[in-house]
Amino acid sequence: MGIISRFPAGATEPYIEETYDSDESLIDVKLHGYTKIRNYAFYGCYALALTSLPAEITSIGRSAFKDCLRLALTSLPSGITSIKEETFSQCDSLALTSLPSGITSIENLAFNYCSSLALTSLPNGITSIGYSAFQGCTNLALTSLPNGITVIEWATFQDCSSLALTSLPSGITSIADYAFDGCTSLTSVTFEGTPESIANSAFANCNNLTTINVPWAEGAVANAPWGATNATITYGYTG
């Protein structure tokens, strides 16, 4: 095991200390003076076991930690405003309990297959979540979505078997194919508004979803019951 510094200790420039194990796998990083982590910075560092990042970090680039199987962050710096594409894709040990309140977007594949991610809520300011953003996050236990969300993209929550939503915000205009496919903890979902479109597989394999409440008249939104073959739909629902 050894430590390699990009710049010597005490340098005025930002520098990185990297710690490797006997197999020359990167297991720890200390970032001194950095505010941004570049695209692909630690992509594929499967042994990297960070539990925190410096508070000064305001941006984490695309795929920066993709395939870091042992990454065990429990929080992110408060200055981060977006989660870029594939930033944490397939980080099996990622254990975030919350996201910074200033985040407004979560891009495509940002957290897909982060099986330890157990978030129960998302920041209210989020207005967009990309396709497959949480796909395969089997411990994701969201009970609601931010009101600013307008589109549920392709496979956004596919196979999120712990997802516990009971309602969908009024501003949602469309729900794409496989958006909630395999979300087996869904049992009852109430729409607060009327989307323009819902794909015919949006709720495929949601085998325990038995109740869907909608405020529109029968036939107003095509493809019902949107793959939820065990569900009964109550039209004109007003709560």
Side-chain angles (χ1 to χ4, degrees):
M1 180 182 295
I3 297 176
I4 298 176
S5 296
R6 185 171 295 178
F7 294 99
T12 57
E13 299 178 74
Y15 69 99
I16 298 175
E17 291 180 282
E18 300 175 343
T19 304
Y20 295 82
D21 64 13
S22 57
D23 295 325
E24 298 187 357
S25 296
L26 183 67
I27 59 173
D28 190 29
V29 170
K30 291 181 173 61
L31 305 172
H32 299 272
Y34 281 89
T35 60
K36 299 180 179 180
I37 297 175
R38 63 177 174 80
N39 295 345
Y40 304 99
F42 302 105
Y43 181 1
C45 294
Y46 71 91
L48 184 64
L50 282 179
T51 58
S52 65
L53 294 173
E56 296 77 15
I57 298 294
T58 58
S59 175
I60 302 175
R62 175 179 179 174
S63 301
F65 292 103
K66 183 180 179 181
D67 293 343
C68 291
L69 305 181
R70 299 181 188 176
L71 189 75
L73 298 176
T74 57
S75 64
L76 295 176
S78 62
I80 291 175
T81 58
S82 67
I83 308 296
K84 303 297 185 184
E85 187 164 325
E86 294 189 310
T87 295
F88 297 107
S89 177
Q90 302 188 70
C91 292
D92 291 350
S93 301
L94 191 69
L96 300 175
T97 57
S98 64
L99 296 179
S101 61
I103 286 181
T104 59
S105 65
I106 297 174
E107 297 184 5
N108 303 333
L109 302 152
F111 291 106
N112 78 322
Y113 294 102
C114 291
S115 58
S116 297
L117 189 68
L119 299 174
T120 58
S121 64
L122 296 175
N124 289 331
I126 290 178
T127 57
S128 66
I129 301 176
Y131 69 77
S132 298
F134 292 102
Q135 181 183 26
C137 293
T138 53
N139 279 298
L140 188 74
L142 300 180
T143 57
S144 64
L145 294 177
N147 289 329
I149 297 294
T150 58
V151 176
I152 309 295
E153 301 280 6
W154 183 88
T156 295
F157 297 105
Q158 186 177 44
D159 293 331
C160 292
S161 54
S162 298
L163 196 72
L165 298 177
T166 57
S167 64
L168 294 173
S170 60
I172 289 178
T173 60
S174 67
I175 302 177
D177 280 312
Y178 308 108
F180 296 102
D181 177 27
C183 293
T184 52
S185 290
L186 296 182
T187 58
S188 176
V189 173
T190 297
F191 282 78
E192 296 177 357
T194 303
E196 297 172 8
S197 64
I198 303 175
N200 60 11
S201 61
F203 293 96
N205 299 303
C206 293
N207 297 330
N208 296 310
L209 180 57
T210 58
T211 302
I212 300 177
N213 300 314
V214 303
W216 60 84
E218 186 172 0
V221 179
N223 300 317
W226 314 291
T229 55
N230 294 326
T232 297
I233 302 175
T234 300
Y235 292 98
Y237 184 81
T238 61

